[in-house]
Amino acid sequence: MNATTLLLTATGTLGLAIFGLLAGLWFMGIDRVLAARMQARIGPPIRQPFIDMAKLMVKQNVVPANAIPWLFNGAPLLALASAITILLYIPMAALPGLPVLNLHGDLVLIMYLLLIPGLAMVAGGLSSGSPYATIGAQREMVTMIAYELPLASTIIAFAWKLAQLDVATPFSLASVAATPIWTLVGPVGFMGLLLLLATMILVAPGELGRIPFDAPEAETEIAGGLLVEYSGRNLALFSLSLAVKTIVVTALIVGLFFPWNFTDIVAITCCPFLAAGANILFFLLKLFVVLFFSVTLIRISVARFRITQVVDVYWKVLGALSIVGLILVMVDARI
Amino acid sequence: MDPTQTLATGSGYWSPLLWLLALVVGLAVALVIRSRGRKDFREGEGRAPFISGNKEPEQGGGHIPASNIYWGFLESMKSYYGRLVPVHTGVPTDYVAWLLGIMALMLIIGLAT
């Protein structure tokens, strides 16, 4: 590890933080507009999340009387900072230098880092001193345990396939992105991958706390749960961490299942900047498509699950589906 | 061992120090954003937790015990835990019996294959 690596890590974190925050807020705005249109409403302007953030920043910050102040105020900081760090491990648009920490963190690390923003919300909720927030924190813990099984099964399927092909770093997301898995399997494995894709599409709303897996917040039931006592700049930070996590989760699905770049489909040899620009736009388009199918479409189609149903869906249905998917990928290699 | 090197297990790898550096930069970004917000906070009245107008419970009375933190999970997996929990009797001879039984089963499977 040398000074260049440290400098690249620091500047890369800063650059990706700006990208994650801006892109995340824009995508949240697009999600809200599309959801409104599908419900025959006009909906807010796309920039509404930016307006919400500006509004929250001028609102008073209320710390409940029986809260633990340092934990209550520290949790939103940790949630945002930890969400930003995950961006450093995710390949984006074949841009040189990305992922910033390519050979310094693997898919298993990403899986665990994804838990930290959730744990920060749990810590914040438990420190609020509110019964609603405590119930929300409890539900968030259960939701996190629930989606781990299908997520882990999917990651194991990818790593197993790459290890079988003697790829040097099978747990690297950059290796997965450089080796599109759809081209490596036969019909049986293809069916297995479809099951794994369906699993990941349904893991995303759980990771992001969106309907139907939003039992930890459940506004109509526990008045916002985890976040019921949060206001002002603390609530803004939690909202920003959700925006960054939106990019993280969708980029993870893109990296695993749709790693192709625009220049893989249409060769642009004349100028590198044009190729990079086309790849970035194509990457954002892929994020949008994943977000639409995994968050927007699902959240306007179904109602909220109870917390026991969340566990049923993730462990009994998606857990079984993802393991069948993993087995099909393994069987495919034997045919 | 060099504490700054990337830890590798043969399959997985990560560098804790680089992640910590990224976390520190991330925290700095979060602190800058936080510093742009309104700094004063409500004092005195109006700081009671929101519970829809219900009477505020006694200090600690509204909290869920740690033993219930995984209630939703245990409730959903009731049929599994319902069978598993009674087996954990706390009697050492029961555990030894399970150990011997499983070892015998594995031996039979091992010999059969």
Side-chain angles (χ1 to χ4, degrees):
Chain A
M1 193 183 300
N2 52 34
T4 313
T5 310
L6 296 176
L7 192 65
L8 279 175
T9 304
T11 51
T13 310
L14 201 58
L16 286 170
I18 294 167
F19 165 74
L21 290 166
L22 295 178
L25 288 175
W26 278 116
F27 275 116
M28 284 171 78
I30 293 170
D31 165 62
R32 287 177 66 174
V33 171
L34 288 177
R37 297 297 159 93
M38 283 187 277
Q39 292 170 334
R41 293 185 289 116
I42 294 172
I46 289 178
R47 65 179 191 285
Q48 186 63 43
F50 290 92
I51 300 169
D52 291 345
M53 289 308 112
K55 184 185 72 182
L56 284 172
M57 296 304 260
V58 295
K59 290 278 185 186
Q60 202 173 33
N61 187 32
V62 181
V63 181
N66 51 357
I68 305 168
W70 68 268
L71 194 54
F72 185 82
N73 290 318
L77 292 169
L78 180 63
L80 178 57
S82 58
I84 288 170
T85 61
I86 313 171
L87 288 169
L88 275 78
Y89 299 95
I90 296 180
M92 295 178 192
L95 290 173
L98 293 182
V100 175
L101 295 180
N102 180 24
L103 291 174
H104 302 289
D106 57 22
L107 270 166
V108 179
L109 177 67
I110 293 173
M111 203 174 86
Y112 281 100
L113 291 183
L114 278 168
L115 292 176
I116 299 181
L119 287 173
M121 287 180 76
V122 168
L126 289 174
S127 68
S128 297
S130 160
Y132 286 153
T134 313
I135 292 170
Q138 178 233 2
R139 291 181 179 184
E140 179 70 21
M141 289 291 287
V142 171
T143 306
M144 283 195 294
I145 298 171
Y147 62 65
E148 280 300 289
L149 175 65
L151 179 62
S153 304
T154 306
I155 286 174
I156 288 168
F158 277 83
W160 183 88
K161 187 66 195 171
L162 292 195
Q164 196 224 356
L165 296 171
D166 288 331
V167 172
T169 50
F171 277 94
S172 158
L173 188 53
S175 296
V176 175
T179 326
I181 198 163
W182 301 95
T183 60
L184 306 174
V185 294
V188 176
F190 192 85
M191 284 190 291
L193 288 177
L194 282 180
L195 290 179
L196 294 173
L197 175 60
T199 301
M200 281 301 288
I201 290 287
L202 288 168
V203 163
E207 284 274 9
L208 299 172
R210 309 301 288 270
I211 295 171
F213 303 107
D214 67 332
E217 290 176 32
E219 286 86 357
T220 49
E221 183 195 348
I222 49 173
L226 282 169
L227 303 176
V228 64
E229 295 301 331
Y230 275 98
S231 58
R233 54 187 184 171
N234 279 341
L235 185 56
L237 287 176
F238 269 136
S239 302
L240 288 173
S241 76
L242 179 64
V244 174
K245 215 174 159 188
T246 302
I247 298 297
V248 166
V249 173
T250 48
L252 179 62
I253 296 175
V254 164
L256 287 171
F257 291 96
F258 311 108
W260 296 279
N261 299 299
F262 188 78
T263 47
D264 297 335
I265 303 162
V266 179
I268 300 176
T269 49
C270 62
C271 33
F273 285 110
L274 184 64
N279 279 339
I280 292 170
L281 287 177
F282 190 61
F283 174 72
L284 292 174
L285 178 69
K286 288 189 291 182
L287 292 189
F288 164 72
V289 172
V290 169
L291 182 78
F292 177 76
F293 284 103
S294 65
V295 174
T296 314
L297 195 61
I298 292 173
R299 83 182 177 90
I300 61 126
S301 307
V302 289
R304 178 185 307 124
F305 287 133
R306 291 198 306 268
I307 190 65
T308 51
Q309 292 171 327
V310 169
V311 178
D312 286 345
V313 169
Y314 277 130
W315 270 66
K316 295 173 186 171
V317 181
L318 294 180
L321 269 185
S322 59
I323 289 171
V324 169
L326 168 64
I327 291 170
L328 287 177
V329 170
M330 294 171 102
V331 168
D332 180 78
R334 307 268 176 206
I335 297 174
Chain B
M1 191 182 80
D2 177 9
T4 62
Q5 75 180 19
T6 296
L7 305 173
T9 63
S11 297
Y13 49 89
W14 84 299
S15 172
L17 284 182
L18 284 179
W19 179 76
L20 271 179
L21 173 63
L23 185 73
V24 169
V25 177
L27 281 172
V29 171
L31 279 168
V32 168
I33 294 170
R34 193 174 193 278
S35 71
R36 307 289 296 168
R38 187 168 160 179
K39 292 179 179 60
D40 64 322
F41 54 89
R42 193 179 293 175
E43 298 279 4
E45 290 183 2
R47 293 175 58 215
F50 172 78
I51 39 179
S52 308
N54 293 310
K55 192 173 175 234
E56 193 182 346
E58 293 292 314
Q59 189 79 14
H63 290 279
I64 294 174
S67 57
N68 285 346
I69 200 93
Y70 300 114
W71 177 84
F73 192 80
L74 298 174
E75 180 69 13
S76 172
M77 307 291 274
K78 204 161 45 180
S79 56
Y80 169 73
Y81 285 107
R83 289 186 182 87
L84 207 65
V85 170
V87 176
H88 291 75
T89 57
V91 181
T93 48
D94 287 352
Y95 293 106
V96 173
W98 274 104
L99 180 70
L100 290 173
I102 298 291
M103 279 177 68
L105 187 67
M106 288 174 69
L107 197 64
I108 292 166
I109 293 171
L111 289 173
T113 54

